[in-house]
Amino acid sequence: MLIRVNLNGTIVPAAEARISVLDHGLLFGDSVYETLRTYSGRPFLLSRHFGRLKHSADGIHLKLQWTRDDVRREVQRTLDSESRAGESRIRVMVTRGPGELSLDTETTADPSLIIIVVPLQELAHEIYERGVAVIVSSIRRSRLLADIKSGSLIRQVLAFSETKSKQAFEAILLTEEGYLSDGITSNIYLVEGNRLMTPSLEAGIVEGITRGVVLDLARSMGLDVIEGLFPGNELDQADEMFLTSTTREVVPIVSVDGKTVGSGKPGPVAMALLKSYRASIAGLLEEG
Ligand SMILES: Cc1ncc(COP(=O)(O)O)c(C=O)c1O
């Protein structure tokens, strides 16, 4: 797989990209990140992703030394460094930087901006046509700092391995109190009649960029959007379910822990939202 890396402004082959073993990003997961994708080779909603990166950095008191335009320029340079057909997945991360073997952030000096670009593995059409099976993970999500996309992802690593061992597509995480939160790397939605329900920020979710677009589309389609705290057993009531994320767009969910959701087929709301999400991409690309 072709991997392009931009390490503090220098584009290097992945095998030669080196950071210090004393980088607090490596030692403590003391870093923040974003995952973006391209459409027609162009980064999608970079400004919104930068806004969330800034929010995450502020949340861990990490001063970003790069402006939105700096990040946009470096992402573009990385994309331009190799011509390749197909879309890209882009990870933008900022680590605390090298310091002492101590939790003290004041021992660190220079944060690193690391951009990694890999070919985007797009989902097969059949996945959208048939829908996916998900599980409820045994791993719970803490609501504390949940809105910060930090490099401390051990719960997600374990939930991913559990999901893979059960041959599921994604796992839904409950909060420690048993409320629905989000997927491992996606937001989740339940449809009941004309109501579109999705966990609120209070439920310890990452405020998905895709979620923002999809909720606007849902409102304009006349759905009654309800963001709130929903107990885990709300899953049993849903007529349909779906998930969203940057790289996967809108994916219908047809079973949870082996139990069929609604008709067992992708629901009309999910399919309508997928269609209008894709129709809105060209316009949103202009937003930059
Ligand atoms: C925990 C979590 N929730 C939701 C999302 C979806 O966010 P987005 O739509 O911005 O990709 C992500 C993305 O990685 C995530 O990590």
Side-chain angles (χ1 to χ4, degrees), residues 104-166:
D104 188 353
T105 57
E106 288 184 9
T107 68
T108 63
D110 296 318
S112 281
L113 173 65
I114 303 170
I115 299 167
I116 305 174
V117 175
V118 299
L120 178 75
Q121 311 283 327
E122 300 209 54
L123 294 182
H125 297 296
E126 299 81 62
I127 292 194
Y128 297 100
E129 282 156 19
R130 291 190 203 137
V132 298
V134 304
I135 57 165
V136 176
S137 177
S138 62
I139 306 282
R140 299 286 176 118
R141 189 188 292 292
S142 166
R143 292 203 276 159
L144 195 69
L145 306 179
D147 58 321
I148 292 169
K149 276 179 80 77
S150 87
S152 310
L153 290 170
I154 197 62
R155 290 188 196 218
Q156 286 84 342
V157 168
L158 296 177
F160 187 91
S161 132
E162 183 183 23
T163 308
K164 205 171 161 194
S165 72
K166 294 188 175 168

Side-chain angles (χ1 to χ4, degrees), residues 3-132:
I3 306 177
R4 286 162 282 174
V5 178
N6 179 327
L7 182 54
N8 293 317
T10 306
I11 295 166
V12 281
E16 287 163 33
R18 309 249 184 271
I19 59 157
S20 165
V21 293
L22 290 175
D23 191 313
H24 283 201
L26 175 70
L27 290 174
F28 311 122
D30 188 356
S31 63
V32 291
Y33 76 99
E34 281 296 313
T35 298
L36 290 74
R37 63 159 290 168
T38 60
Y39 285 101
S40 310
R42 294 164 62 191
F44 186 59
L45 298 177
L46 185 139
S47 294
R48 297 193 198 190
H49 282 281
F50 180 81
R52 193 170 61 184
L53 185 72
K54 175 86 175 65
H55 171 80
S56 298
D58 288 348
I60 65 163
H61 312 296
L62 172 60
K63 194 168 166 351
L64 277 193
Q65 297 171 354
W66 300 272
T67 63
R68 183 189 60 189
D69 289 345
D70 292 337
V71 171
R72 188 189 302 285
R73 186 192 60 238
E74 292 307 319
V75 164
Q76 197 57 54
R77 282 184 61 232
T78 319
L79 285 168
D80 291 345
S81 66
E82 198 88 43
S83 64
R84 198 180 46 74
E87 303 295 351
S88 299
R89 173 186 171 130
I90 307 161
R91 182 176 169 107
V92 175
M93 58 189 294
V94 179
T95 69
R96 184 80 64 180
E100 290 177 14
L101 190 56
S102 153
L103 289 166
D104 188 353
T105 57
E106 288 184 9
T107 68
T108 63
D110 296 318
S112 281
L113 173 65
I114 303 170
I115 299 167
I116 305 174
V117 175
V118 299
L120 178 75
Q121 311 283 327
E122 300 209 54
L123 294 182
H125 297 296
E126 299 81 62
I127 292 194
Y128 297 100
E129 282 156 19
R130 291 190 203 137
V132 298

Side-chain angles (χ1 to χ4, degrees), residues 49 52 141 149 182-187 206 208-210 245-246:
H49 282 281
R52 193 170 61 184
R141 189 188 292 292
K149 276 179 80 77
D182 47 14
I184 304 173
T185 53
S186 61
N187 291 111
V206 164
I209 306 295
T210 321
S245 82
T246 294

